[in-house]
Amino acid sequence: MTDQPTSPPHPKLDELIAVLARLRAPGGCAWDAEQTHESLVQYLIEETYELVDAIEGGSREELIEELGDLLYQVIFHSDIASASEGERFDIEDVAAHMTAKMIARHPHVFGDTVAETAEDVIAVWDDVKAVEKSHRTSVLDGIPLGMPSLALADKLIGRAQKIGVIEADAPAVIGVTDEEELGGLLLAIVASAKANGLDAERALRVTLRGLQDEIREAESDPFDAGIIGTAG
């Protein structure tokens, strides 16, 4: 008895990859063929926000659609790279790199390290990242400063707490207890800023630049840098 041919484990994914390759091949779609990593950035950002909307309030069908749109962006960039001098990688290289990365960052699953709680896992993750990113000289390295200001603030506060620029256990200035209450408070702050002719986004970014300066000062001279308290 001869072995029966088996279907690929993800036939629809392979089909999508083939569709993109056909669109960008000679005789395919002129628009797709002309795209570059840079020209696709605006679509990548748009698709990411649309996926967030689907996660937070969409239906099953909307979530499938938006995940597909974002997946398509990954495949698109990989196809561009496969034909770009100096890059020459494809979706298989992307997947292989991510697989190796996830295995390396989960030694408690794929190795002998013990991590029984979520906090333990984060500690293991940080240790592994410290080895992987040993070339980084600042806790600010690797943070995309183009993030939305609130997300950037959360990221910078976490890094500032790691090196003692902000006290991690300082009591909260504002005692909000749930996200609904927090959302209303943030909306009120933005409304107040607008009423007074102020730009809330710019104001937060200016403050965050100051926090970055504090972090860099602490890293260069940890004994002289001040501590920013969140309670006053």
Side-chain angles (χ1 to χ4, degrees), residues 1-5:
M1 179 181 293
T2 58
D3 294 335
Q4 295 296 318

Side-chain angles (χ1 to χ4, degrees), residues 108-184:
H108 54 291
V109 176
F110 300 101
D112 299 327
T113 302
V114 176
E116 298 181 349
T117 68
E119 290 74 17
D120 293 339
V121 171
I122 293 173
V124 169
W125 186 282
D126 287 342
D127 289 342
V128 173
K129 285 178 65 177
V131 174
E132 288 180 355
K133 310 294 184 181
S134 59
H135 59 283
R136 291 180 175 175
T137 58
S138 170
V139 296
L140 297 176
D141 291 345
I143 297 178
L145 299 181
M147 293 171 66
S149 59
L150 282 176
L152 180 60
D154 184 84
K155 182 73 71 173
L156 290 176
I157 288 170
R159 299 297 172 88
Q161 288 175 338
K162 282 187 176 182
I163 63 171
V165 172
I166 290 179
E167 299 173 8
D169 57 353
V173 178
I174 302 173
V176 290
T177 58
D178 57 55
E179 291 188 354
E180 182 177 0
E181 182 183 1
L182 176 60

Side-chain angles (χ1 to χ4, degrees), residues 21-30 33:
R22 176 70 181 87
L23 289 173
R24 286 182 40 78
C29 174

